[in-house]
Amino acid sequence: MPAAAGLPGAEVEGGVEVVDGVDHALALAPPRTRAGARLALGLLRLRSFPRGFAGRPEAWRAGAIATLETSGSMVVRSLVLLLKGLCCAAYAGSPRVLRVLGAAPRCELGPNADPPALPPHLDREAMRPPAGEVESCDVVVVGSGAGGAAAARVLAEAGLDVLVVEEGEYYDALTYSRDPLHALATLYRDGGLTASEGRPPIALPLGRCVGGTTVINSGTCFRAPPGVLRRWREVHGIPWATALDGEYESLERDLAVRLVEPGRAGGNGELCRAGADALGLSNGPIPRNSGGVVCCGTCPMGCALDAKRAMHVSELPRAVAAGARIRAGVRVQKVVVQRGRVSGIVGHSEDTGRYVARAGAVVLGGGAIGTPELLLSQGIANGSGQLGRHLRIQPACWVGARFRGREVRGWDGVMQSWRVDEWLDSGLFLEATFTPPPFGAHWLPGAGEALASGLARYDELAVIGVHLADTSEGRVRAGRGGRARISYRLTRTDAAKLRFGIARAARIHFAAGADEAYPQIGGLGALRPGQEGRVERSLLSPSAMRLEAFHPMGTARMGADAQRSVVAPSGESHEVGGLYIADASILPTALGANPMLTIMACARHIARGLAAELS
């Protein structure tokens, strides 16, 4: 990142420091990710042998990186993209760079917004686990994200004594970091570098804090498509799957879910709407759990106003008001099972050491990665052999487009604002999702001065995310130290569907007046209007795609058949009495929509059944 296009240089006198932030981020990453970073640096050294990479001229170095970024090797491309992503987060997150771009992250309430309560009604000190004390309760809930928090509230309001145990720490609008890499370190699992292995490897950012991934997601709150719920009832034997309307309605009231108002979606959303309308495509505003927020640019680092009703400002305070207790900073290591029934959990706190809680029931809400990770490390609740299998992630692709000479300024509107649901029956859903510079700059092509030039014109970018309800599957296995090892292989069929979606996203951009679009497929450069057909005609393998995923689910799926599922329709393990799961891992199939609301609706239903049984 040289000084160019009005931007300061990186790691030069008077420039922006990048290396220390990247080094810190990698220290928090899984060992395989750190090994990948070392390998990527080795590739650069090898390419410049014998002179050494740092000794080469700046233009040569930029060209070498750009060549590797477009290599025919998936491994090489992925390794370079890893380093580029970290460097861009550190560089583009610098306040100096953001000032030059005019893109300082901010959130604003509209005139009709429901004012958020600040500070949140949770007591940080009350969350500290007691040292050397065994706690007792009726139910211990492991995990405080969408599923765990929703279950905890229902159980506490039913009069049960509830403990919520969370591996991460508590942060709120008063304590979120505005430094992107520091935010990744404090709010995300693995410092934000969780990824699935496979062809291609896919980034899978997950929350690790009180409130879980709801703290860092975009707040989109769709109900599950009715056809999906019917399939759960008819194929997987879940009789209540089509009877969730009451739970959805209650959640939408409690979380202040509103459609983004037309005219307040910002430039990015307006261009998506204009392009879709020009093509006659079904489209509309996205429902979000943030009341009437009209500018929302801090979601990935925690809502600056806590106007987004993440679990730490909504369900968890309600659970605490009903008597629940929260223990933050405790990693649960074991579910205690005696004579075929749970009797509590054992964990560890960095502050107070060993933590033990006794309970008559355990509800796991650690998500589609954390829940199987815990159970597989113990070898329990897996008589069917299905635990950890059937991972769905709803892979997604960032499709940016440049509107030359036009100020889009996507950061001035709602980050995730507009949807195109024309192809929902095919499993494709498109969402106008503007990505702030620290988290989106690495998707711009090139390196060196070319990258700086593209970043300097970030205000001309519009972005559409292409998401797929996948039929491809992955798996979570127990790795070293009990940490999950995640694999996922994108099938050719799903890759073709994604290419179809990418081409349609580019066409929407062009219909709105874009000059070029970036398809994020190795071997394909920027597209000009009329060239989007190249994406569909491409015979490149699935490994050529550059993807992310934000919706893991299905690894402890629910069903009536104990040979094909992990938990019964009640949410209770088929094998271990008193062990319940109430998170994304129980969802039997991909949704074709953002899953937060459905996770919560299912968790509430399961918790009501458990509460009735225990009372």
Side-chain angles (χ1 to χ4, degrees):
M1 299 299 296
L7 293 169
E11 295 297 331
V12 295
E13 185 175 352
V16 176
E17 294 183 3
V18 169
V19 173
D20 285 349
V22 173
D23 196 43
H24 181 63
L26 284 171
L28 298 170
R32 295 176 70 86
T33 302
R34 293 198 297 273
R38 287 194 293 271
L39 183 56
L41 293 169
L43 284 172
L44 295 177
R45 285 193 294 269
L46 183 63
R47 189 169 183 85
S48 57
F49 183 82
R51 281 183 60 181
F53 191 80
R56 295 280 189 170
E58 183 180 285
W60 187 96
R61 284 181 279 138
I65 294 170
T67 299
L68 292 173
E69 185 182 19
T70 57
S71 165
S73 165
M74 177 202 75
V75 174
V76 171
R77 290 195 309 271
S78 299
L79 292 173
V80 173
L81 189 62
L82 167 64
L83 287 184
K84 184 176 179 180
L86 288 168
C87 291
C88 283
Y91 177 81
S94 162
R96 291 179 57 196
V97 172
L98 292 172
R99 277 197 299 271
V100 173
L101 298 179
R106 60 193 176 87
C107 295
E108 292 180 5
L109 295 170
N112 300 318
D114 299 324
L118 281 177
H121 300 299
L122 288 178
D123 182 348
R124 186 187 309 274
E125 286 303 311
M127 297 183 202
R128 289 178 56 83
E133 179 183 333
V134 176
E135 294 199 278
S136 296
C137 60
D138 296 319
V139 184
V140 61
V141 177
V142 180
S144 64
R153 177 191 173 186
V154 168
L155 293 166
E157 290 181 347
L160 296 169
D161 185 11
V162 177
L163 266 172
V164 180
V165 181
E166 166 60 48
E167 180 181 3
E169 299 290 350
Y170 173 71
Y171 298 91
D172 58 28
L174 303 177
T175 54
Y176 299 134
S177 174
R178 291 301 115 196
D179 176 341
L181 288 182
H182 190 256
L184 290 174
T186 53
L187 300 178
Y188 288 71
R189 177 187 170 110
D190 299 327
L193 295 176
T194 306
S196 65
E197 303 168 14
R199 302 183 63 84
I202 300 175
L204 196 62
L206 301 168
R208 191 188 72 106
C209 54
V210 174
T213 301
T214 70
V215 177
I216 56 167
N217 70 12
S218 296
T220 295
C221 288
F222 284 115
R223 299 186 183 191
V228 171
L229 298 179
R230 282 196 300 272
R231 184 183 176 198
W232 291 2
R233 183 190 66 199
E234 295 164 5
V235 177
H236 295 275
I238 305 167
W240 51 264
T242 52
L244 291 174
D245 284 353
E247 299 290 4
Y248 280 131
E249 290 167 7
S250 176
L251 285 165
E252 288 162 351
R253 287 193 303 271
D254 290 348
L255 301 182
V257 174
R258 290 189 187 179
L259 292 171
V260 174
E261 296 179 24
R264 296 189 181 276
N268 190 55
E270 287 301 315
L271 288 171
C272 179
R273 179 197 59 76
D277 282 349
L279 296 172
L281 304 175
S282 174
N283 67 94
I286 284 176
R288 302 181 70 246
N289 64 335
S290 57
V293 168
V294 295
C295 179
C296 144
T298 62
C299 281
M301 298 180 287
C303 176
L305 299 175
D306 269 336
K308 179 176 66 176
R309 269 59 165 190
M311 296 302 97
H312 68 310
V313 294
S314 56
E315 295 294 272
L316 289 173
R318 291 172 179 133
V320 170
R325 294 164 284 162
I326 300 173
R327 298 291 177 252
V330 176
R331 176 172 172 78
V332 174
Q333 300 167 315
K334 181 180 180 181
V335 176
V336 181
V337 180
Q338 296 177 324
R339 298 174 184 170
R341 186 171 183 86
V342 297
S343 60
I345 57 98
V346 175
H348 177 79
S349 164
E350 292 294 332
D351 291 336
T352 59
R354 179 179 167 88
Y355 176 81
V356 178
R358 295 185 180 134
V362 173
V363 176
L364 298 184
I369 307 301
T371 287
E373 176 182 69
L374 174 61
L375 296 177
L376 287 169
S377 69
Q378 285 187 248
I380 63 172
N382 193 27
S384 65
Q386 301 299 302
L387 183 62
R389 297 180 182 272
H390 310 295
L391 171 67
R392 306 293 178 86
I393 60 176
Q394 297 197 159
C397 184
W398 182 99
V399 183
R402 191 170 297 283
F403 291 74
R404 296 191 186 280
R406 179 168 180 170
E407 281 198 332
V408 179
R409 294 180 62 85
W411 55 78
D412 281 344
V414 174
M415 199 169 90
Q416 199 164 80
S417 57
W418 212 259
R419 71 181 189 271
V420 178
D421 51 12
E422 179 76 16
W423 304 282
L424 196 58
D425 289 344
S426 301
L428 279 169
F429 53 112
L430 279 58
E431 296 174 346
T433 307
F434 193 82
T435 315
F439 299 100
H442 65 293
W443 296 116
L444 296 172
E449 190 170 340
L451 178 58
S453 176
L455 180 59
R457 294 179 291 127
Y458 208 82
D459 63 339
E460 297 178 344
L461 283 179
V463 182
I464 294 174
V466 177
H467 301 256
L468 176 67
D470 45 342
T471 58
S472 305
E473 291 190 352
R475 187 173 179 183
V476 176
R477 294 177 172 88
R480 291 182 180 178
R483 301 298 292 189
R485 183 173 177 182
I486 310 164
S487 60
Y488 181 88
R489 191 176 184 91
L490 185 71
T491 65
R492 288 189 174 275
T493 299
D494 277 355
K497 288 182 180 179
L498 280 167
R499 287 199 303 271
F500 176 91
I502 292 167
R504 296 312 177 275
R507 188 167 295 170
I508 291 168
H509 282 313
F510 292 141
D515 298 280
E516 63 182 18
Y518 311 116
Q520 301 306 323
I521 299 176
L524 288 180
L527 303 173
R528 302 287 182 181
Q531 294 182 335
E532 57 270 22
R534 290 172 51 200
V535 176
E536 287 184 88
R537 292 192 299 269
S538 168
L539 298 178
L540 294 168
S541 74
S543 63
M545 309 192 78
R546 298 172 181 170
L547 304 174
E548 300 173 282
F550 307 94
H551 308 145
M553 60 189 82
T555 50
R557 67 181 182 181
M558 178 169 45
D561 185 347
Q563 300 303 310
R564 299 176 58 244
S565 58
V566 177
V567 298
S570 64
E572 187 174 20
S573 164
H574 287 299
E575 301 167 58
V576 182
L579 175 63
Y580 289 76
I581 303 178
D583 57 29
S585 68
I586 66 172
L587 305 185
T589 66
L591 281 183
N594 302 60
M596 183 178 78
L597 215 61
T598 298
I599 295 167
M600 296 182 71
C602 291
R604 282 191 174 193
H605 180 91
I606 289 168
R608 293 190 203 286
L610 174 57
E613 180 180 328
L614 294 181
S615 60

mmCIF file of all heavy atoms in Angstrom, residues 134-138 161 163 325 356-359:
data_model
loop_
_atom_site.group_PDB
_atom_site.id
_atom_site.type_symbol
_atom_site.label_atom_id
_atom_site.label_comp_id
_atom_site.label_asym_id
_atom_site.label_seq_id
_atom_site.Cartn_x
_atom_site.Cartn_y
_atom_site.Cartn_z
ATOM 1 N N VAL A 134 -19.011 -24.139 43.404
ATOM 2 C CA VAL A 134 -19.858 -24.918 42.511
ATOM 3 C C VAL A 134 -21.244 -24.292 42.508
ATOM 4 O O VAL A 134 -21.883 -24.172 43.557
ATOM 5 C CB VAL A 134 -19.939 -26.393 42.956
ATOM 6 C CG1 VAL A 134 -20.920 -27.158 42.058
ATOM 7 C CG2 VAL A 134 -18.564 -27.046 42.903
ATOM 8 N N GLU A 135 -21.693 -23.875 41.349
ATOM 9 C CA GLU A 135 -23.013 -23.248 41.249
ATOM 10 C C GLU A 135 -24.060 -24.309 40.898
ATOM 11 O O GLU A 135 -23.773 -25.288 40.209
ATOM 12 C CB GLU A 135 -22.999 -22.150 40.198
ATOM 13 C CG GLU A 135 -22.097 -20.977 40.571
ATOM 14 C CD GLU A 135 -22.429 -19.726 39.797
ATOM 15 O OE1 GLU A 135 -21.973 -19.591 38.648
ATOM 16 O OE2 GLU A 135 -23.151 -18.871 40.348
ATOM 17 N N SER A 136 -25.255 -24.075 41.330
ATOM 18 C CA SER A 136 -26.360 -24.984 41.049
ATOM 19 C C SER A 136 -27.503 -24.214 40.411
ATOM 20 O O SER A 136 -27.700 -23.019 40.693
ATOM 21 C CB SER A 136 -26.850 -25.655 42.339
ATOM 22 O OG SER A 136 -25.837 -26.471 42.896
ATOM 23 N N CYS A 137 -28.255 -24.890 39.567
ATOM 24 C CA CYS A 137 -29.397 -24.267 38.905
ATOM 25 C C CYS A 137 -30.302 -25.361 38.366
ATOM 26 O O CYS A 137 -29.962 -26.549 38.389
ATOM 27 C CB CYS A 137 -28.925 -23.356 37.767
ATOM 28 S SG CYS A 137 -27.997 -24.223 36.479
ATOM 29 N N ASP A 138 -31.451 -24.961 37.845
ATOM 30 C CA ASP A 138 -32.336 -25.913 37.183
ATOM 31 C C ASP A 138 -31.822 -26.245 35.782
ATOM 32 O O ASP A 138 -31.816 -27.410 35.370
ATOM 33 C CB ASP A 138 -33.755 -25.344 37.079
ATOM 34 C CG ASP A 138 -34.408 -25.130 38.436
ATOM 35 O OD1 ASP A 138 -34.237 -26.009 39.307
ATOM 36 O OD2 ASP A 138 -35.053 -24.083 38.628
ATOM 37 N N ASP A 161 -34.600 -21.604 37.584
ATOM 38 C CA ASP A 161 -33.302 -21.019 37.908
ATOM 39 C C ASP A 161 -32.353 -21.333 36.752
ATOM 40 O O ASP A 161 -32.045 -22.506 36.496
ATOM 41 C CB ASP A 161 -32.780 -21.618 39.215
ATOM 42 C CG ASP A 161 -31.489 -20.968 39.684
ATOM 43 O OD1 ASP A 161 -31.109 -19.922 39.120
ATOM 44 O OD2 ASP A 161 -30.841 -21.520 40.594
ATOM 45 N N LEU A 163 -28.749 -20.567 34.448
ATOM 46 C CA LEU A 163 -27.397 -20.045 34.298
ATOM 47 C C LEU A 163 -27.051 -20.031 32.814
ATOM 48 O O LEU A 163 -27.250 -21.036 32.116
ATOM 49 C CB LEU A 163 -26.387 -20.935 35.026
ATOM 50 C CG LEU A 163 -25.983 -20.584 36.447
ATOM 51 C CD1 LEU A 163 -25.134 -21.717 37.032
ATOM 52 C CD2 LEU A 163 -25.198 -19.277 36.475
ATOM 53 N N ARG A 325 -28.843 -15.857 35.579
ATOM 54 C CA ARG A 325 -27.481 -15.372 35.821
ATOM 55 C C ARG A 325 -26.617 -15.671 34.600
ATOM 56 O O ARG A 325 -26.804 -16.701 33.954
ATOM 57 C CB ARG A 325 -26.880 -16.057 37.047
ATOM 58 C CG ARG A 325 -27.570 -15.721 38.365
ATOM 59 C CD ARG A 325 -27.186 -16.731 39.444
ATOM 60 N NE ARG A 325 -27.878 -18.003 39.264
ATOM 61 C CZ ARG A 325 -27.500 -19.148 39.831
ATOM 62 N NH1 ARG A 325 -26.389 -19.186 40.572
ATOM 63 N NH2 ARG A 325 -28.198 -20.259 39.644
ATOM 64 N N VAL A 356 -17.569 -25.095 37.700
ATOM 65 C CA VAL A 356 -18.495 -26.223 37.719
ATOM 66 C C VAL A 356 -19.900 -25.708 37.995
ATOM 67 O O VAL A 356 -20.110 -24.886 38.893
ATOM 68 C CB VAL A 356 -18.109 -27.257 38.799
ATOM 69 C CG1 VAL A 356 -19.121 -28.405 38.831
ATOM 70 C CG2 VAL A 356 -16.706 -27.796 38.546
ATOM 71 N N ALA A 357 -20.852 -26.188 37.233
ATOM 72 C CA ALA A 357 -22.265 -25.873 37.479
ATOM 73 C C ALA A 357 -23.063 -27.165 37.443
ATOM 74 O O ALA A 357 -22.921 -27.965 36.507
ATOM 75 C CB ALA A 357 -22.793 -24.892 36.438
ATOM 76 N N ARG A 358 -23.881 -27.375 38.458
ATOM 77 C CA ARG A 358 -24.765 -28.533 38.508
ATOM 78 C C ARG A 358 -26.150 -28.111 38.039
ATOM 79 O O ARG A 358 -26.629 -27.036 38.396
ATOM 80 C CB ARG A 358 -24.832 -29.090 39.923
ATOM 81 C CG ARG A 358 -23.502 -29.658 40.407
ATOM 82 C CD ARG A 358 -23.651 -30.312 41.757
ATOM 83 N NE ARG A 358 -22.369 -30.850 42.223
ATOM 84 C CZ ARG A 358 -21.886 -30.693 43.440
ATOM 85 N NH1 ARG A 358 -22.578 -30.003 44.336
ATOM 86 N NH2 ARG A 358 -20.741 -31.231 43.781
ATOM 87 N N ALA A 359 -26.782 -28.975 37.251
ATOM 88 C CA ALA A 359 -28.092 -28.624 36.701
ATOM 89 C C ALA A 359 -28.881 -29.874 36.373
ATOM 90 O O ALA A 359 -28.310 -30.947 36.109
ATOM 91 C CB ALA A 359 -27.922 -27.772 35.443
#
